[in-house]
Amino acid sequence: TGVLSPGSCLTIREGRAGNWASLAFAGALAARQWLGSAATLALAGLGGGRLAAGDTLVVVAVPPPATRPIPMPPADDGPIRVVLGPQEQYFAPESIAALLAGPYFAGQAFDRMGLVLDGPALPPLSVTMLSAPLLRGAIQVNGAGTPTILLADHQTTAGYPRIATVIDVDVDRAAQTRPGSPLQFAAVTAAEANAIARRAAAARATWLAAVARRPDSWIDRLRDANLIDGVVDAQATI
């Protein structure tokens, strides 16, 4: 972390891995809002808007925080874990085995809606099914047998079968896979997925606590803390 002085130039270079990164400002961006948020939904044109070359960002500045190293968030590695289904009955056992054996690679076609996978085709036994709600992380397979991992901006329902669902802990890791990079899948049970989620939540809570530690005085910390909860009217009668 660091503080930029007037006239400084910030260059953001490609990292060692990942498709997306975040740049945080010590203050709020002066941008148009939608429902109280400047976040942008580019497809609908809502929010603060997509940045273009030559744009000027106005930051409502706040005093810069004391600079100190920020610990890296906890991260898993290894295979992308999936729970089979919910329509695994639409696939032959050979297709399910092929999904887990691979190899699959992140395709060139990807956005916030989904990541198309390159690899062995997984032709469904049938695509005749009622449309059903979708979950983030579902691996949907079209009639040609091409699998797609559905991401944050996925549609709400779909009529193609889902052979498996990436567990929530691993969806972001899959989404950050660069085109051409391999993905290996491993099946876990729903109970195992819940246990993994609980461990990940505990690790993230520990990380957030470390990030939140500041060299402030106890007075500063008390001033920022919510010390009162469950307040009732003292005049009320029971």
Side-chain angles (χ1 to χ4, degrees), residues 54-78:
D55 283 354
T56 298
L57 299 177
V58 178
V59 180
V60 182
V62 297
T67 58
R68 60 185 177 86
I70 297 178
M72 293 296 293
D76 289 319
D77 53 16

Side-chain angles (χ1 to χ4, degrees), residues 168-190:
D168 189 68
V169 171
D170 287 349
V171 173
D172 290 340
R173 187 156 56 95
Q176 286 281 31
T177 305
R178 288 180 175 173
S181 298
L183 293 97
Q184 179 67 50
F185 297 103
V188 297
T189 65

